Amino acid sequence: MDKDKQIVANQIGYLILKDDGAVLESGGDLKNDERSANIIMGLLNLTESIDENFMPNSSCERISIDYEHHSYTICMSNRHIYIVKLCKNQNGAAPTTTTTSSSSSTSVYNDANEGSSSLVATNPASSTSSTVMA
Amino acid sequence: MEEQLEKVLSEIVTQHDTVGALLANRQGLCLGAKGNINPNVSGIGMAISEQVAKLEPNNTVPATICLYSGNKRCVIQKDGEITGIIYKQTATTSTSATN
C-alpha cells in the first residue's frame, strides 16, 4: 500500500506542482496525473485576470471545484500549487441537491468547507510566515 | 423572451452576500447581468467553466467552481447551454489563515 501524504482526512488524491506546472508530488486518484495537472494550470492562467474591479489580478488564493460526490481544492502558496481531491460522503458532509436547475444551485451551494481551510493551516509556508524575525 | 432570465437574475442578486450575477451563453456572450458585475466577464467565465469541464469529461453533472480572494468569491456553474457567474462578498474577511 502506498504511503501517500495525507493532507486532510477525507482526501482521495493530491498533487503538488511547481509554479511552472511541473509535478513535484502526487498520490491517490491523482497519482502521476499530468493531464489533470495541465488542465489545472490552464485554469490558473485563466483565473489570473477575471475582473480587476472585483478581484485584483492574481489575487485568487484558493479555487474549489465542486462535484456531486467529490471536490477539488486548489491552493497557491510559496510558488507551489497544492491540489487535493476530497471525497464528500465520508465525514457526513451531505451531498448538495444539484438535481434541479441553476437557480436552485445558487441557493444550495455550500462552500467554505472545513476540509480546505485545514489544508491551508497545515501548509508549512503559512505557519512559518508568522514567525518572521524583526 | 429575456423576462425569465431577468427574473432569475433578480432572484439571485437578492441572496445573501451576493453582489452581482451574470448569465452567459455557449459563445461566452452575456445574456443578462444584474448588480455590480461587468458584462465582459461572461467570456472569461465561460472559458473557466469550459476548462474545468475538461477535468472530468465523463461526469454528467457539471461542477461548481468557486474562486476565493479575501472576502470575495466568484462562483461559476455551467448548466447545459448556459453558464452562471455570481459575485459574492462577505462583510468580514473570513480567510482561513487568521489563526
Side-chain angles (χ1 to χ4, degrees), chain A residues 19-20 40-63 76 81, chain B residues 44-45 48 67-69 76:
Chain A
D19 57 357
D20 62 359
I40 288 165
M41 283 311 292
L43 173 67
L44 292 177
N45 286 331
L46 286 170
T47 56
E48 260 174 32
S49 55
I50 303 172
D51 184 354
E52 180 68 44
N53 294 322
F54 184 66
M55 282 184 185
N57 286 350
S58 309
S59 71
C60 183
E61 72 237 16
R62 182 156 69 95
I63 302 171
M76 281 68 78
I81 298 148
Chain B
I44 187 93
I48 289 171
L67 315 171
Y68 297 83
S69 173
I76 303 169

Side-chain angles (χ1 to χ4, degrees), chain B residues 16-84:
Chain B
H16 191 60
D17 290 341
T18 305
V19 179
L22 177 153
L23 294 170
N25 71 359
R26 192 174 271 226
Q27 282 86 39
L29 300 170
C30 181
L31 296 174
K34 270 264 155 68
N36 190 11
I37 188 165
N38 187 345
N40 295 331
V41 173
S42 60
I44 187 93
M46 185 67 210
I48 289 171
S49 69
E50 287 284 335
Q51 182 71 12
V52 170
K54 290 182 200 164
L55 199 60
E56 295 193 7
N58 300 327
N59 209 327
T60 49
V61 182
T64 307
I65 306 142
C66 191
L67 315 171
Y68 297 83
S69 173
N71 62 336
K72 292 169 179 175
R73 282 169 293 160
C74 175
V75 185
I76 303 169
Q77 195 186 45
K78 195 176 163 196
D79 193 350
E81 294 272 307
I82 290 179
T83 298

Side-chain angles (χ1 to χ4, degrees), chain A residues 77-94:
Chain A
S77 178
N78 199 22
R79 295 169 70 92
H80 285 60
I81 298 148
Y82 298 82
I83 303 151
V84 187
K85 186 176 178 181
L86 302 168
C87 177
K88 278 190 188 172
N89 301 334
Q90 276 184 358
N91 64 351

Side-chain angles (χ1 to χ4, degrees), chain A residues 14-120:
Chain A
Y14 78 97
L15 267 171
I16 301 174
L17 314 179
K18 262 169 74 175
D19 57 357
D20 62 359
V23 178
L24 290 175
E25 285 183 51
S26 65
D29 275 13
L30 299 174
K31 194 161 181 72
N32 301 322
D33 194 348
E34 292 213 15
R35 190 189 137 271
S36 292
N38 287 331
I39 292 168
I40 288 165
M41 283 311 292
L43 173 67
L44 292 177
N45 286 331
L46 286 170
T47 56
E48 260 174 32
S49 55
I50 303 172
D51 184 354
E52 180 68 44
N53 294 322
F54 184 66
M55 282 184 185
N57 286 350
S58 309
S59 71
C60 183
E61 72 237 16
R62 182 156 69 95
I63 302 171
S64 72
I65 303 169
D66 227 58
Y67 287 94
E68 205 175 0
H69 300 298
H70 63 280
S71 65
Y72 295 83
T73 298
I74 305 159
C75 276
M76 281 68 78
S77 178
N78 199 22
R79 295 169 70 92
H80 285 60
I81 298 148
Y82 298 82
I83 303 151
V84 187
K85 186 176 178 181
L86 302 168
C87 177
K88 278 190 188 172
N89 301 334
Q90 276 184 358
N91 64 351
T96 50
T97 51
T98 51
T99 47
T100 48
S101 67
S102 59
S103 61
S104 72
S105 64
T106 55
S107 55
V108 172
Y109 177 65
N110 182 17
D111 48 16
N113 42 347
E114 267 76 44
S116 49
S117 53
S118 66
L119 165 72
V120 178

